[in-house]
Amino acid sequence: MRLEEEFSHCDNYDEEEEPKTMSQCSIGALQQQQQQQKFVVVGYALTSKKIKSFLQPKFEGLARNKGILFVAIDQNRPLSDQGPFDIVLHKLTGKEWRQILEDYRQTHPEVTVLDPPDAIQHLHNCQSMLQCVADMNLSTSYGRVGVPRQLVIKKDASSIADAVDKAGLILPLVAKPLVADGSAKSHELSLAYDQYSLQKLEPPLVLQEFVNHGGVLFKVYIVGEAIKVVRRFSLPDVTKRELSKVTGVFRFPRVSCAAASADDADLDPSVAELPPRPLLERLAKELRWRLGLRLFNLDIIREHGTRDHFYVIDINYFPGYGKMPGYEHIFTDFLLSLVQSRYKKRSS
C-alpha cells in the first residue's frame, strides 16, 4: 500500500462543487493523517460527470474509513511522475490516453489498471461487444443466454432493406449507432417497423431483431466477482396487430436510466422474476475471462412467454455504479481485495 501526500476529498467538501484537488487541501493535516494509517491509493482519471456520480461523499467517506484514498490524476503531467498508486481507475477516451495507459502498465507492473485500455476498446463497437456472448452459446439447466440476430450497416441507407431481406431479419428492428463511446448519441435507439422506413436510418449502425420481453430488462452490474441485478423499464412489447398497422421509425433516448427503475413496480411475476443466480454467475465468469474486464454491466432481457431464454443486448464498461444499490461497500471491498491479492502473489 502507498503513502500519498495529497488526495481528492477534504473535510470541507461541498456536494455542489467538483471534488477538491490536492492543492486545495491542507498538506499538514494530510501528512498527520498518513502517519496514523497506511492507505490504498487509487488514482482516478474520470470525466467530471463520472466523478460527480461515482465519487459521492458517502462513498469517499466509507473508502477513507476502510483505508482507501482517491487521488485525481493530473492529465497535464506525466502519469509516471504522479502517485505512487496501488490502483489506477479510469474512463477516458482517445488514442493518446490509451497509449499513456499502455506505457504506464509496462513500466509499472505493480499497479493494477482498471481496466486494460485494449480490452475496453472492444466494447466500443456494438458488433464486436456481443460477439463474445454469441461465441459462448451458453446453455445450462438454469437457462440459455444468446444475443438477438443482428446486421451491421456501414454505409448507404438505401441498401438497408435489401441487406435486411438477404439476412432474413424479422421486423421490427432496433437500430443502434455502431460506435458505443459512452456519448449521449451512442445510447440513442430507433425502432423501425417496416422495410420502407429502413432507408430513413443513418449508418453506420447495427440492426437487431426486436425481442418482446415484457417491457423490462435486467441490468447486471459486475464488480470483480460481485454481481448486483436491478430491474429497469424498457421498450414495450410489439404485438402482431400493432406491427401490421404501424409504420415508420420511432426514436428513443437512452432507454434504461435511474428514473426508469422497475424494482418496486407491480409487475407480472413471470416478467419480474430475476434471471437465476447460477446462470448469471456462470455468464459473468466467462465474460470476465473473455473480455479481460472486471468493471462492466450487462443489459439482459427474457424473451416474453419463456422462463429461461435470455438475451444480452448491451455491455458497458465502468457503468453508472452510483445507481447501483449498495455500490459503496461492494466497490471498496473489491478495491481492497485487488491489493490483498497482489500482495499474496508477491509473497508467494
Side-chain angles (χ1 to χ4, degrees):
M1 288 178 278
R2 313 290 187 187
L3 291 180
E4 176 58 45
E5 292 186 357
E6 305 164 329
F7 64 102
S8 64
H9 185 80
C10 304
D11 290 336
N12 61 342
Y13 177 72
D14 187 341
E15 292 185 35
E16 299 301 320
E17 300 175 356
E18 289 289 319
K20 303 291 186 181
T21 61
M22 301 84 166
S23 60
Q24 294 170 293
C25 297
S26 169
I27 300 299
L30 292 177
Q31 290 174 335
Q32 182 180 4
Q33 194 172 26
Q34 289 163 356
Q35 292 172 359
Q36 299 172 355
Q37 180 179 4
K38 288 186 176 181
F39 290 97
V40 171
V41 180
V42 181
Y44 66 87
L46 306 171
T47 63
S48 57
K49 181 180 178 181
K50 178 63 73 174
I51 291 172
K52 184 176 181 180
S53 66
F54 178 69
L55 289 177
Q56 299 177 22
K58 179 182 176 182
F59 176 50
E60 283 203 278
L62 176 66
R64 185 191 298 173
N65 289 338
K66 289 187 175 184
I68 302 171
L69 293 182
F70 287 97
V71 180
I73 291 173
D74 186 348
Q75 297 177 54
N76 296 316
R77 293 173 54 203
L79 184 54
S80 293
D81 292 349
Q82 302 180 60
F85 303 120
D86 292 291
I87 297 170
V88 169
L89 188 64
H90 69 98
K91 192 177 183 181
L92 298 178
T93 58
K95 292 182 179 180
E96 183 178 356
W97 173 249
R98 292 202 306 271
Q99 190 58 54
I100 289 172
L101 275 183
E102 287 293 356
D103 293 344
Y104 183 80
R105 292 180 70 212
Q106 295 298 319
T107 56
H108 294 76
E110 77 283 1
V111 179
T112 300
V113 175
L114 295 173
D115 271 309
D118 284 350
I120 298 169
Q121 193 66 15
H122 185 76
L123 297 186
H124 287 174
N125 181 292
C126 279
Q127 178 187 20
S128 63
M129 76 160 61
L130 297 181
Q131 189 58 49
C132 56
V133 180
D135 292 342
M136 287 170 55
N137 193 27
L138 182 59
S139 180
T140 74
S141 59
Y142 294 99
R144 293 183 295 155
V145 180
V147 300
R149 290 202 301 166
Q150 61 182 28
L151 175 68
V152 175
I153 305 293
K154 294 186 177 180
K155 57 183 179 179
D156 190 10
S158 63
S159 66
I160 295 179
D162 287 340
V164 167
D165 189 52
K166 290 179 181 178
L169 296 188
I170 300 174
L171 294 163
L173 298 175
V174 177
K176 303 179 179 181
L178 181 60
V179 177
D181 58 6
S183 64
K185 184 174 178 60
S186 70
H187 288 289
E188 292 179 353
L189 301 179
S190 298
L191 190 61
Y193 278 81
D194 64 289
Q195 283 210 339
Y196 176 77
S197 298
L198 293 174
Q199 62 185 323
K200 299 178 182 179
L201 299 174
E202 300 177 7
L205 52 81
V206 174
L207 295 175
Q208 286 182 353
E209 286 187 337
F210 180 77
V211 178
N212 281 338
H213 52 283
V216 171
L217 66 78
F218 305 101
K219 192 165 284 288
V220 182
Y221 292 95
I222 296 167
V223 182
E225 296 184 2
I227 299 172
K228 184 78 173 181
V229 188
V230 297
R231 301 177 188 86
R232 293 283 186 264
F233 284 116
S234 179
L235 299 179
D237 289 349
V238 177
T239 65
K240 291 182 179 180
R241 185 169 182 268
E242 182 182 358
L243 188 59
S244 66
K245 293 187 175 182
V246 178
T247 60
V249 173
F250 294 84
R251 305 186 188 280
F252 301 89
R254 190 169 187 168
V255 174
S256 174
C257 60
S261 173
D263 280 331
D264 298 323
D266 184 15
L267 299 171
D268 183 327
S270 65
V271 172
E273 183 182 7
L274 297 178
R277 187 78 183 185
L279 183 66
L280 294 181
E281 290 175 349
R282 171 78 178 276
L283 177 62
K285 182 178 180 180
E286 286 283 339
L287 287 178
R288 279 196 302 269
W289 177 73
R290 289 173 181 264
L291 294 173
L293 298 174
R294 285 169 282 193
L295 300 177
F296 61 98
N297 76 352
L298 312 170
D299 285 351
I300 296 179
I301 59 174
R302 174 192 287 110
E303 184 173 4
H304 194 50
T306 75
R307 187 177 182 182
D308 60 358
H309 197 178
F310 301 92
Y311 292 91
V312 176
I313 58 173
D314 200 10
I315 306 176
N316 297 289
Y317 169 67
F318 202 153
Y321 287 116
K323 304 171 187 175
M324 180 181 78
Y327 89 98
E328 300 93 345
H329 288 278
I330 292 173
F331 215 98
T332 50
D333 288 346
F334 166 64
L335 294 175
L336 291 174
S337 71
L338 287 178
V339 176
Q340 292 167 359
S341 176
R342 183 172 286 274
Y343 283 144
K344 286 181 180 178
K345 289 181 180 179
R346 289 178 187 172
S347 59
S348 61

